[in-house]
């Protein structure tokens, strides 16, 4: 798994690539997200367009990020969700708690309207 943090239209963006499984990356990402929230981040887009595979640990990572942001009064939006992950979210009924948009711009627009 590879990941990077960036900004798009004044919104924090986490881009994830490859296989989202488990390990040190999940712990690193949660640590960075926690620090970003402490520094005032209230909105995040998680770009998933280049995710090849995700398991329950990867879903747990997404849920942890969502929970942290919502507890802090913020929101996240998933962007560019691959079809396989969309099916997994539907099967696990997590599609009812995650907001997703087809691309980065629409995700940013959604978050701006949610202010």
């Amino acid at each position: 798994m590879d990941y990077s943090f960036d900004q798009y239209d004044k919104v924090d963006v986490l881009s994830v690539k490859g296989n989202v499984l488990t390990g040190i990356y999940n712990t690193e990402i949660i640590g960075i997200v926690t620090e970003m929230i402490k520094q005032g981040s209230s909105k995040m887009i998680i770009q998933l367009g280049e995710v090849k595979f995700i398991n329950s640990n990867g879903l747990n990572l997404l849920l942890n990020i969502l929970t942290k942001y919502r507890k802090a009064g913020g929101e996240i939006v998933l962007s560019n969700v691959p079809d396989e992950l969309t099916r997994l979210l539907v099967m696990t009924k997590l599609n009812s708690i995650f907001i997703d948009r087809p691309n980065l711009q629409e995700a940013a627009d959604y978050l701006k309207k949610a202010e």
Side-chain angles (χ1 to χ4, degrees), residues 14-45:
L14 166 60
S15 297
V16 182
K17 300 175 184 174
N19 296 329
V20 185
L21 302 170
T22 186
I24 195 161
Y25 295 120
N26 292 12
T27 304
E28 287 176 4
I29 290 170
I30 291 298
I32 293 168
V33 165
T34 301
E35 193 57 38
M36 290 171 72
I37 291 169
K38 284 181 184 176
Q39 294 177 11
S41 177
S42 63
K43 295 177 178 72
M44 177 173 278
I45 299 167

Side-chain angles (χ1 to χ4, degrees), residues 6-19:
D6 205 347
Q7 280 214 334
Y8 178 83
D9 205 12
K10 299 180 184 176
V11 176
D12 293 311
V13 177
L14 166 60
S15 297
V16 182
K17 300 175 184 174
N19 296 329

